[in-house]
Amino acid sequence: MIPLPLTLVALSCLSFAGAEPIHTPLMRKRSALTVDDYGVAADLLRSKYGYNPGSTTSKRQNAAGISIINQNSDTSYLGAVQIGTPPQSFNVVLDTGSSDLWVTGKGCASCTSTTPSFNYNASSTLQISQGSNGQPAAVSITYGSGAVNGYLVRDTVSMGGFQVTLQPWLLVDQTTSGLLDGTDAGIMGLAYDTIANTGATPFWQTLAAGGKLSTPEMSFWITRESNNPNAPTETFGGVFTLGGQNQTLYQGDVEFLPLVENIGKPTYWLLNVTAVTVNGKSVTLPSGNVAAIDTGTTLIGGPSAAVAAIYAQIPGSSQLSGNLAGFYGFPCTTTLAISFSFGGQSWPINTADMNLGRVSTGSSICAGGIFDLTAGSNIGTGGGNPSWVVGATFLKNVYSVFRYQPAAIGFAQLSNAAGGSSGECHVWAYSFQELACPVAEVFN
């Protein structure tokens, strides 16, 4: 438990180091995933979005590029954040599908001995928020993948040269076993404050609302390694740009689409799915196709009828069962041409992202990257529950921009430096041993 008493300060102040704009890489972590692991991931995603079966003042900085880690075969994408005085650096999941910042603290129960942890005794600026009982304010957060418990604190948080003093965040002292892996120390939520369990304004939103970003945007280019059996455990995962865009990573224009506001104000980053095509044929979609665009999610989940309609266009496809209930299989030799539209241009998904691998050793059937999100649930799609969750299976194929004002999401075609439509550009930022695209272009 963290020590008592330091005074609670109600207001956060903003500042940042006036460095030149930088563009740094993301990193991805990889482990040996099986197809069954995707079934587990699907259940966790259903839980995250409420679909459980049977459940009811300073000069502006232009932009900062944050290095991303690609973790566990495109399962998670991590970026570095610095907390405290002097700053302690941690890799955290960059998650547009949640809004809380949390990091594990020293003495965290259920954390492994290798899990990085914040040393609260070493920060001279840490302040502990007190509850109505005069004790540290305890907060619990439940995700699809598990739960965390901790105490609400405030401290200096920095990322890419941007800084917020007295940023509220959750110092976690207990997690569900297995929630964290490798260098991952927590999550930085990049959705809106309306869905924050801590009630805190997220780091990015504080910067954007305070006019500290020259352009109130966050942008992602994320890499593909799921089809690379020789990828390192942790490897380069792309670039997260805070405060603008990296124009070397896309070509043409960014197509911006206004957010869907399901409670009169932004919550998740929501768009309408307006069209899906399979091998050039349009799929008939049911009504109410609101999608959360979620960088913290691996796959694409959709409503039962829409997912069934997609696979009905794929010869030889059928529903899977057991650990892969809600998934569909198709002949592994099939080349899929699937595209999504959110009200404008149609964006294709690489076959490598749609094919999750053989359902069992020696099988000729492979599992698909679009699964039934609502399978077995009696929850309707109203009340703020998106009926689609669109994760890395789609996002690896586009350059994505999340704009604060006016609220919108933009997509653009990847540039040659980012792998073009194939996304097959490998820049291993930590070794630079494989340079299949021009590094100077990516980081300028």
Side-chain angles (χ1 to χ4, degrees), residues 311-312 314-321 324 327-331 365-368:
Y311 286 100
I314 302 173
S317 66
S318 61
Q319 293 188 55
L320 300 177
S321 58
L324 290 174
F327 282 80
Y328 284 73
F330 55 85
I365 300 299
C366 287

Side-chain angles (χ1 to χ4, degrees), residues 147-209:
V148 297
N149 300 314
Y151 298 90
L152 188 61
V153 299
R154 296 170 185 262
D155 209 338
T156 299
V157 174
S158 304
M159 179 177 251
F162 292 103
Q163 185 178 95
V164 176
T165 60
L166 299 178
Q167 169 68 42
W169 57 282
L170 190 65
L171 178 59
V172 166
D173 65 356
Q174 186 174 14
T175 73
T176 302
S177 180
L179 180 63
L180 298 175
D181 186 24
T183 63
D184 181 10
I187 291 177
M188 173 171 272
L190 299 173
Y192 285 83
D193 58 343
T194 46
I195 59 170
N197 289 271
T198 58
T201 301
F203 175 80
W204 76 271
Q205 192 174 349
T206 298
L207 292 171

Side-chain angles (χ1 to χ4, degrees), residues 248-263:
T248 65
L249 298 174
Y250 69 89
Q251 54 190 310
D253 297 327
V254 177
E255 178 189 64
F256 279 102
L257 299 162
L259 293 193
V260 175
E261 297 183 359
N262 58 12
I263 59 172

Side-chain angles (χ1 to χ4, degrees), residues 46 50-56 374-380:
R46 293 183 185 109
Y51 288 109
N52 287 322
S55 131
T56 54
T374 62
S377 174
N378 60 10
I379 296 181

Side-chain angles (χ1 to χ4, degrees), residues 58 111 157 160 168 207-208 228 236 244 255 293 370:
S58 35
C111 294
V157 174
L207 292 171
N228 177 11
F236 174 65
E255 178 189 64
I293 310 301
I370 299 174

Side-chain angles (χ1 to χ4, degrees), residues 314-318 329-336 355 358 364-367:
I314 302 173
S317 66
S318 61
F330 55 85
C332 295
T333 55
T334 303
T335 298
L336 296 179
N355 189 329
R358 299 179 189 276
S364 62
I365 300 299
C366 287

